[in-house]
Amino acid sequence: LLKLGGYGIIRVLPICPPPNTTLIYPFMMLALWGIIMTSLIGLRQPDLKALIAYSSVGHMGLVISATLIQTHWGLSGAMLLMIAHGLTSSALFCLANMNYERTHSRALLLLQGAQIIFPLMAAWWIIASLTNMALPPTINFMGELLILTTLMNWCPLTIIITAIGTTLTAAYTLYMLLSTQHGKLPHGLSLPPMMTREHLLLALHMIPLILITMKPNLLF
C-alpha cells in the first residue's frame, strides 16, 4: 500500500498545477521529520513486525520528499527505492513470520539466539538487513543516493535531517539483527527446522534484488 501510494503521487503530481515553495515546504518537512520519528520509534520497539513496518514508513518519507521536488533524479531515485524496498521489506516480513510460526510470539526477547539452531536463516537475516540499511552496491543504496543528492541540491540543510535518518536506520536495523540472531537462546522452546519452501520464498525475494543491483539500467 505504501508503494501504491508513492506511485500514485508520482503519477498525479505532474498533472497538477506547478506547486510553489509555500505549498511544498509543509509536506517536505512532514516527510523528513517522519523519517526521524519512525526511526526513533523503531529503536525502542519490542515488537519485531511493528519494527519492520516503521522501517517501511521511514523509507517512504524519502520517496515522498523526492517526488515533491519533481526532478528526473528525484523521480528515478524514488522509483528505485520503492522497488528495492518492496522486495527487502517483504523479505523481512517473511522472516518475521517464520519466527512467529515457531515461537508464536513477535517479541524480540523470545527470538534471540536463533542463529545457533537456524544458521541458514541467519544468513537470510543478514542479507535482508544489509539491503535494508542500503549498503553499497545494492539498489537500495543507489535509490537513496539519488534522493539525497536531489534533496541537497534543492536545499543543502536537508542533508542534516537525512544524515540523522540514515544513521538511525542503520541503528535500528542492527538492533533488529542482533536481537533476533544473537544472545542466549530461551529455554523450553521446541523449534522445527526450516523447510525448503521457506528458503525458496526468501530466494525469490533476494535473487531479483541482486539481479537488479547488477543491471540497474533495466529500471531506468
Side-chain angles (χ1 to χ4, degrees):
L1 286 175
L2 289 172
K3 280 70 181 177
L4 186 65
Y7 179 69
I9 292 171
I10 290 174
R11 294 305 297 261
V12 169
L13 276 182
I15 63 174
C16 293
N20 54 25
T21 52
T22 310
L23 188 62
I24 282 180
Y25 279 142
F27 292 106
M28 184 67 75
M29 291 311 298
L30 278 173
L32 293 174
W33 185 242
I35 298 169
I36 296 178
M37 289 305 295
T38 52
S39 301
L40 289 173
I41 293 170
L43 270 176
R44 59 188 304 274
Q45 186 60 244
D47 189 319
L48 177 60
K49 207 168 184 179
L51 195 158
I52 299 169
Y54 279 117
S55 168
S56 296
V57 176
H59 281 90
M60 288 308 104
L62 281 174
V63 171
I64 293 170
S65 57
T67 52
L68 286 172
I69 299 172
Q70 287 291 296
T71 61
H72 179 68
W73 273 35
L75 294 174
S76 298
M79 189 64 73
L80 276 177
L81 190 59
M82 281 197 295
I83 293 170
H85 195 261
L87 292 166
T88 304
S89 178
S90 181
L92 286 170
F93 274 119
C94 287
L95 286 163
N97 186 63
M98 289 171 193
N99 282 338
Y100 177 77
E101 286 177 345
R102 286 164 173 79
T103 61
H104 302 288
S105 173
R106 300 191 311 202
L108 289 170
L109 187 63
L110 286 177
L111 300 173
Q112 60 183 359
Q115 72 166 2
I116 300 170
I117 48 179
F118 299 122
L120 198 51
M121 185 190 281
W124 290 120
W125 269 107
I126 291 170
I127 295 170
S129 299
L130 291 178
T131 53
N132 191 58
M133 285 191 292
L135 192 79
T138 59
I139 201 72
N140 306 60
F141 171 74
M142 292 184 189
E144 286 196 15
L145 187 63
L146 286 173
I147 291 173
L148 294 183
T149 307
T150 304
L151 288 172
M152 196 168 66
N153 285 336
W154 179 72
C155 177
L157 288 176
T158 56
I159 195 65
I160 300 171
I161 301 176
T162 51
I164 295 171
T166 305
T167 306
L168 290 173
T169 300
Y172 68 68
T173 305
L174 287 173
Y175 162 68
M176 175 181 67
L177 180 64
L178 294 175
S179 298
T180 54
Q181 303 306 308
H182 294 269
K184 189 177 180 182
L185 192 69
H187 295 290
L189 287 178
S190 178
L191 305 177
M194 282 193 75
M195 302 179 186
T196 306
R197 64 173 177 82
E198 293 175 329
H199 290 299
L200 177 63
L201 178 63
L202 293 167
L204 290 174
H205 280 90
M206 289 301 152
I207 289 172
L209 203 61
I210 294 168
L211 290 176
I212 296 170
T213 300
M214 293 171 65
K215 198 169 177 63
N217 59 347
L218 290 173
L219 297 183
F220 284 116

